[in-house]
Amino acid sequence: MSYRIGLVGKPSVGKSTFFNAATMNDVPEGAYPFTTIDPSVGEAYVRVQCAAPEFDETCTPNTGYCDDGVRFVPTKIVDVAGLIPGAHEGNGLGNQFLTDLNETDVLVHVVDFSGKTDIEGEPTEDHDPREDIDFLETELDQWYLDVLEKGIERYRSGHVTEDDDIEEEMAEQMSAFRTNEDEIKLLIRRVGVGFDPGEWDDEDKLELAREIRKETKPLVIAANKMDMPEAQANWEEITDDPEYDHLTFVPASAHAEKALKSADEGGAVDYRPGDGEFEIVADVSDEQEAGLEQIREFLDDFGSTGVQDALEAALFDVLGVTPVFPGGANGLGNERGEVLPDCYLLPPDSTAEDFAYSLHSDIGEGFLHAIDCRSNRQRGADYELDDRDVLEVVTTN
């Protein structure tokens, strides 16, 4: 399946710079609201250790590319415009913002950790980035609460049959959030509000809406502008705050990533996205060298620019996506002589049969078994996929 990472953030935090750095697209960047109005969709990549070297082979990717044993697997990233206070009430781009947001699987919230932009995105000093984090979560929670309350009203007004349980109605009402009856039932139990909505008070409903939101629209915080001392001070305080234990934080400098990629494309440096080092390979001006050395110091302190890390944290750590390589009847190759041409990103707990269906519905319908290309062992339909499996699917079709 194709995953979509939603990029959100208030104006002036570097969200468009982050998007451009991740995709090397050229969307407008500016310090004012709605620099982008329509969502920009680009192709970014996540890194997977290629399996081909284990078999003394060199892969030939159909999509993405491989660089010295690191496979760069394509994924979609969506720069979603319109995050301002009251978006769930229709302010700013309002419903369009929420609709665009809902077409993504996981969110990366770009936050200016330097505290130099206020809640509206205007220049300031000493703004607490926690306000930005809370502001997005509050907007999302209120959005989910509005939908939840409509489901409760339908349930109370008798628009459902006596045999329908509240979790069935909630699942149907909130189906746009890609949830289901079993998940709703689990979350109602987790919150502990009971299964009679007539006994739920306002706080119960908000808590349940928040829990559904956390489960269906998870967040990664890209702590941007971490090359500034104010951001580093805020990082220590915020990441130690137990109020934010439910979030994944990644220190980042979108500006540094974009500068390195541009310098690499221009032949000035040798840099692989996400790496913690680069090499200057051409003559550069004193000013350029000074800028690059500042970036090198940032990489030494934080290990990377954080742009790749944020995308990979969203897919692999938060969503639990599993990368799998299709093998072939003649080892790793296919009938066209391609070696591991594809790498599929599958949901957590996917099985060998799920993998077969992801290749093609006909292959899934005719699934007999899979063969582990590393061990030559046969894997049945219920075999749960492991990270970086290389599987040949045997099918009647």
Side-chain angles (χ1 to χ4, degrees):
M1 69 181 284
S2 177
Y3 286 93
R4 291 167 69 93
I5 300 171
L7 206 60
V8 293
K10 69 184 186 185
S12 308
V13 298
K15 177 169 67 77
S16 292
T17 303
F18 190 106
F19 177 85
N20 288 339
T23 63
M24 288 308 282
N25 282 18
D26 188 19
V27 304
E29 297 175 18
Y32 49 91
F34 310 142
T35 302
T36 51
I37 300 297
D38 297 320
S40 299
V41 181
E43 186 171 82
Y45 299 92
V46 291
R47 295 169 295 176
V48 175
Q49 202 67 30
C50 188
E54 298 176 42
F55 298 86
D56 295 324
E57 295 276 6
T58 300
C59 70
T60 52
N62 276 334
T63 58
Y65 63 98
C66 198
D67 186 345
D68 195 24
V70 177
R71 191 74 165 257
F72 285 77
V73 182
T75 189
K76 295 296 182 185
I77 182 169
V78 184
D79 183 5
V80 181
L83 175 59
I84 65 167
H88 75 279
E89 297 173 332
N91 294 342
L93 300 183
N95 292 333
Q96 184 60 46
F97 164 73
L98 298 175
T99 299
D100 294 339
L101 208 66
N102 203 38
E103 293 179 359
T104 63
D105 300 290
V106 61
L107 303 180
V108 172
H109 183 192
V110 182
V111 177
D112 177 2
F113 257 53
S114 73
K116 292 185 179 295
T117 49
D118 66 18
I119 199 68
E120 302 282 353
E122 299 294 334
T124 189
E125 296 290 335
D126 300 323
H127 176 71
D128 190 342
R130 277 174 286 208
E131 290 187 33
D132 299 348
I133 298 169
D134 296 344
F135 150 53
L136 175 62
E137 292 202 278
T138 298
E139 286 293 331
L140 296 180
D141 290 345
Q142 291 298 321
W143 172 32
Y144 272 64
L145 179 60
D146 289 346
V147 178
L148 179 72
E149 288 184 325
K150 289 175 184 175
I152 294 172
E153 181 58 33
R154 274 178 51 85
Y155 187 81
R156 285 176 171 170
S157 62
H159 284 92
V160 294
T161 68
E162 293 182 3
D163 295 331
D164 285 338
D165 295 322
I166 183 60
E167 61 268 26
E168 292 179 53
E169 180 57 30
M170 290 296 96
E172 182 176 345
Q173 184 66 36
M174 309 190 84
S175 60
F177 298 128
R178 302 175 197 176
T179 188
N180 56 56
E181 181 183 342
D182 290 339
E183 185 172 58
I184 294 293
K185 184 182 292 186
L186 175 68
L187 295 175
I188 290 174
R189 285 177 176 154
R190 183 186 298 173
V191 173
V193 294
F195 287 86
D196 182 0
E199 297 181 357
W200 297 351
D201 60 22
D202 289 345
E203 185 56 38
D204 291 334
K205 287 182 269 189
L206 178 59
E207 188 176 359
L208 179 57
R210 182 181 298 122
E211 204 64 31
I212 298 171
R213 187 267 301 170
K214 287 180 182 178
E215 201 70 25
T216 61
K217 201 62 64 181
L219 277 165
V220 169
I221 305 298
N224 199 28
K225 306 186 183 181
M226 281 292 291
D227 46 348
M228 304 178 72
E230 298 91 342
Q232 295 167 22
N234 284 328
W235 170 271
E236 294 297 332
E237 187 173 345
I238 294 170
T239 56
D240 285 342
D241 189 336
E243 287 292 317
Y244 301 100
D245 285 348
H246 64 287
L247 293 171
T248 298
F249 289 85
V250 178
S253 171
H255 169 76
E257 178 72 8
K258 188 179 178 187
L260 285 176
K261 281 187 173 177
S262 296
D264 180 76
E265 286 190 352
V269 306
D270 184 10
Y271 171 67
R272 184 172 65 181
D275 279 1
E277 58 187 9
F278 63 91
E279 181 183 357
I280 299 176
V281 294
D283 291 334
V284 295
S285 69
D286 291 344
E287 184 180 359
Q288 288 173 319
E289 184 173 5
L292 288 169
E293 290 307 322
Q294 284 184 338
I295 293 175
R296 195 187 302 279
E297 290 178 14
F298 182 85
L299 297 183
D300 289 342
D301 289 340
F302 294 98
S304 78
T305 68
V307 171
Q308 279 294 137
D309 292 340
L311 301 181
E312 289 155 11
L315 286 194
F316 299 134
D317 298 340
V318 173
L319 287 186
V321 170
T322 304
V324 181
F325 296 92
N330 299 311
L332 302 188
N334 59 24
E335 65 276 4
R336 294 183 297 275
E338 299 167 330
V339 176
L340 293 186
D342 300 301
C343 179
Y344 284 74
L345 302 177
L346 297 175
D349 305 322
S350 293
T351 64
E353 187 174 37
D354 294 330
F355 176 52
Y357 272 101
S358 72
L359 297 174
H360 195 283
S361 58
D362 289 346
I363 294 175
E365 289 168 5
F367 179 87
L368 295 175
H369 60 266
I371 297 173
D372 187 322
C373 292
R374 288 188 176 91
S375 65
N376 259 344
R377 293 181 60 184
Q378 187 169 301
R379 305 294 191 184
D382 294 335
Y383 168 73
E384 190 170 311
L385 300 175
D386 203 0
D387 185 62
R388 298 175 58 253
D389 265 339
V390 183
L391 297 180
E392 174 197 345
V393 173
V394 180
T395 176
T396 58
N397 296 326

